[in-house]
Amino acid sequence: MTWYTALVLAVAAERLAELVVARRNTRWSLARGGVESGRGHYPAMVALHTALLAGCLAEVRFAERPFPPVLGWVMIAVVVAAQALRWWCIRTLGPRWNTRVIVVPGLPRVTGGPYRWLSHPNYVAVAAEGIALPLAHGAWVTALVFTALNAALMVVRIRCEDGALARLPALDARA
């Protein structure tokens, strides 16, 4: 379980790095007149993502989940791929990427990078990670609960984000 704890802690460190980037990008956006939407669901999102990390470790330890070799290695690869996709999103959006929904008036919607193919690629990364990280060590209850709660939260989040993005000009800004 030591290696799994290290993996979960590495994902937690990555999430902290995201928050540093998000805080910097929030200042950038607000300085340019950015408008935040969806403040009400943000605490639930933070709590759910924190619970994912804690649930992974707790379930593996207390339910004595074994490492399933074939599934485990595949899920570790999915976790790595999810991180790559997430950082591709962050790089593509640049200072507009955020953990909050903040839209800067006058800026066109980004349609480059992974946004060329998907409207919300970052949420694909979140969903993949939410399934793969627990299953990498057999924590199927955590994967199931996170996935169900995340799906409900994503309905709210995507509606909020789509509404905020609908207020952007229809210009094409390939990044």
Side-chain angles (χ1 to χ4, degrees), residues 2-174:
T2 303
W3 70 267
Y4 185 65
T5 301
L7 175 63
V8 173
L9 291 176
V11 171
E14 186 278 330
R15 293 293 179 87
L16 292 173
E18 284 180 33
L19 291 175
V20 169
V21 171
R23 188 164 286 130
R24 182 187 67 224
N25 291 350
T26 294
R27 287 191 300 270
W28 182 90
S29 295
L30 295 178
R32 287 159 180 76
V35 178
E36 184 175 356
S37 303
R39 286 184 183 174
H41 72 263
Y42 189 74
M45 193 169 75
V46 170
L48 180 60
H49 286 249
T50 302
L52 169 66
L53 301 173
C56 286
L57 295 176
E59 183 176 351
V60 168
R61 178 177 171 92
F62 298 116
E64 299 180 0
R65 301 287 190 226
F67 173 70
V70 174
L71 179 63
W73 287 113
V74 170
M75 292 300 104
I76 290 168
V78 172
V79 169
V80 171
Q83 303 315 315
L85 177 56
R86 176 178 289 117
W87 284 96
W88 187 18
C89 293
I90 292 169
R91 183 169 171 81
T92 299
L93 291 176
R96 295 202 256 177
W97 180 86
N98 214 305
T99 56
R100 297 178 179 275
V101 178
I102 302 176
V103 174
V104 179
L107 294 180
R109 187 171 184 155
V110 173
T111 59
Y115 297 89
R116 183 172 296 131
W117 301 287
L118 298 168
S119 296
H120 302 282
N122 192 67
Y123 302 142
V124 172
V126 169
E129 180 188 78
I131 293 168
L133 186 61
L135 290 181
H137 209 297
W140 61 271
V141 173
T142 300
L144 187 64
V145 170
F146 176 83
T147 299
L149 294 174
N150 187 57
L153 184 57
M154 284 300 100
V155 168
V156 172
R157 176 73 173 203
I158 289 172
R159 281 184 185 154
C160 172
E161 194 169 298
D162 284 347
L165 290 172
R167 295 187 285 277
L168 288 173
L171 300 174
D172 185 44
R174 300 226 178 252

